[in-house]
Amino acid sequence: MTGGAQLTQDETKPRYEVFHTACAAREVVDHVTSRWGIWVLISLQSNDLRFFELRESIEGISEKMLAQSLRALVEDGLIWRRVEPTTPPQVTYGLTEFGRDVGEPLGELFDRITRRLPPPA
């Protein structure tokens, strides 16, 4: 082969084996695309929200499911959590750079879907 770089066997392998159940990236995808994870990411796109604001913005989510979803997304590095030492503590959540990268296409997906649907009755 002349001109250009050759790829070695190692350079052609995917970084993560996302179709294998033990893949770390697959776990993050599962959290993002979970029933509530996707709504949390979309809700945080426009601004940072406190726990109760998130709960009110996502109809149908229980406090337990919101707490579980937030915990998983924080552990994955998609959102950050800030606790203000007040009584009671004020907990605020927002998107990390990684969370914005992942959340942006999700917001675009929902925009595309809602543009195609007939107007609500």
Side-chain angles (χ1 to χ4, degrees):
M1 184 179 222
T2 60
Q6 289 184 333
L7 296 177
T8 65
Q9 178 81 12
D10 292 337
E11 292 172 334
T12 60
K13 288 184 182 177
R15 184 168 173 198
Y16 291 99
E17 296 290 336
V18 295
F19 294 103
H20 295 152
T21 57
C23 178
R26 185 173 179 159
E27 187 174 330
V28 173
V29 170
D30 287 345
H31 294 157
V32 168
T33 60
S34 70
R35 178 173 182 188
W36 300 112
I38 198 165
W39 297 113
V40 169
L41 290 173
I42 290 172
S43 294
L44 290 171
Q45 278 190 328
S46 50
N47 54 345
D48 305 338
L49 296 172
R50 292 178 48 200
F51 183 88
F52 78 91
E53 293 171 320
L54 273 167
R55 190 184 68 229
E56 289 176 1
S57 72
I58 306 171
E59 283 190 30
I61 193 169
S62 68
E63 285 191 24
K64 177 184 175 184
M65 290 310 301
L66 178 57
Q68 287 177 355
S69 297
L70 289 168
R71 191 175 307 114
L73 294 170
V74 167
E75 288 175 9
D76 292 338
L78 293 161
I79 62 175
W80 52 261
R81 178 181 189 264
R82 181 178 63 232
V83 180
E84 296 177 34
T86 59
T87 305
Q90 293 182 359
V91 183
T92 306
Y93 296 90
L95 293 176
T96 63
E97 183 179 337
F98 180 31
R100 283 189 297 277
D101 285 346
V102 170
E104 186 178 325
L106 295 175
E108 291 173 8
L109 172 66
F110 282 96
D111 287 344
R112 288 180 184 197
I113 291 170
T114 56
R115 282 195 307 265
R116 296 286 186 138
L117 292 176

